[in-house]
Amino acid sequence: TLPGEIRDLAVEHMKEPQQINISEEKLVLPSTEQAYINVGRKNKIWALCRILDTEKPKAIVFCQTKRMVDILARSLTSYGYPVAALHGDLTQARREKVLDDFRSGKIKVLIATDVAARGLDIEGVTHVINYDIPDNPEVYVHRIGRTGRAGKEGKAITFVTSQEEHLLKGIKDFSGAGVAHTEVPEGPG
């Protein structure tokens, strides 16, 4: 995003300037394994709990709305999972506390709106889970970019209801990356 005036200034005052264009929106990290799970809306929390129980991730779980973030965070907390909510209605002090707790490992799962999809760089995030599939494929790319960083492997799992199949197709077409179908992990015993 280089405005024309700035580009003209650069050409005028620099010796042999070169412009490198990188489409961040189409950049999907190769160290991020991408998968989707077909799951009904009412079974999403069950599927999420299975993933948390079997894979023990340090995860960011993305929801479309602040209300859904709060509902999911309350439900998971009541089940005993160390989670916290992150969205735009929280005070700056509360957001910083949540992020500090997540960075330190006190909180293992961050339930967030897309406020966390850009600019959030937290080391060691093993999973990004799209509890709600994003409407926009570019948002998907930004979300999954929170894992698989600094040469480490990451996993992106997207829950897809039957009514959302078209959104998954849009993501696959846009990213050009393979998003493999997988099943909900089987729980213990």
Side-chain angles (χ1 to χ4, degrees):
T1 55
L2 191 62
E5 301 85 30
I6 303 297
R7 188 177 19 252
D8 294 343
L9 257 169
V11 169
E12 184 179 330
H13 295 286
M14 296 174 74
K15 292 181 182 179
E16 300 180 30
Q18 294 184 1
Q19 183 172 330
I20 300 172
N21 295 317
I22 299 173
S23 176
E24 182 182 338
E25 287 78 16
K26 292 198 176 192
L27 178 65
V28 178
L29 301 175
S31 56
T32 301
E33 175 190 337
Q34 298 175 61
Y36 72 94
I37 296 173
N38 290 108
V39 63
R41 180 155 296 287
K42 291 181 179 182
N43 290 327
K44 283 184 177 185
I45 196 160
W46 164 79
L48 179 58
C49 289
R50 283 292 179 102
I51 292 167
L52 298 178
D53 290 344
T54 58
E55 301 196 20
K56 310 280 191 229
K58 179 174 185 177
I60 301 175
V61 178
F62 285 101
C63 299
Q64 287 292 83
T65 66
K66 294 177 258 189
R67 183 173 182 269
M68 191 64 222
V69 166
D70 289 337
I71 290 169
L72 186 57
R74 275 194 305 272
S75 295
L76 290 173
T77 298
S78 75
Y79 299 155
Y81 293 97
V83 306
L86 182 69
H87 55 66
D89 281 357
L90 302 177
T91 65
Q92 184 63 31
R94 179 69 185 138
R95 284 194 300 262
E96 288 174 13
K97 169 85 168 96
V98 166
L99 289 173
D100 287 345
D101 287 349
F102 188 57
R103 282 186 182 99
S104 72
K106 182 177 178 185
I107 298 297
K108 292 289 191 187
V109 180
L110 188 64
I111 313 295
T113 59
D114 289 325
V115 73
R118 292 178 185 245
L120 194 65
D121 190 14
I122 297 175
E123 214 172 288
V125 175
T126 61
H127 289 61
V128 166
I129 300 168
N130 291 301
Y131 191 83
D132 295 321
I133 189 170
D135 294 335
N136 182 326
E138 291 178 20
V139 171
Y140 171 83
V141 172
H142 284 289
R143 283 181 179 185
I144 71 168
R146 302 307 97 207
T147 187
R149 299 170 79 83
K152 296 205 167 106
E153 292 185 7
K155 190 182 247 187
I157 300 171
T158 301
F159 293 163
V160 181
T161 67
S162 58
Q163 296 83 15
E164 297 167 330
E165 294 283 338
H166 67 285
L167 296 173
L168 177 64
K169 182 182 180 329
I171 287 168
K172 287 178 176 181
D173 291 348
F174 177 80
S175 69
V179 184
H181 179 262
T182 192
E183 298 292 333
V184 177
E186 290 193 27

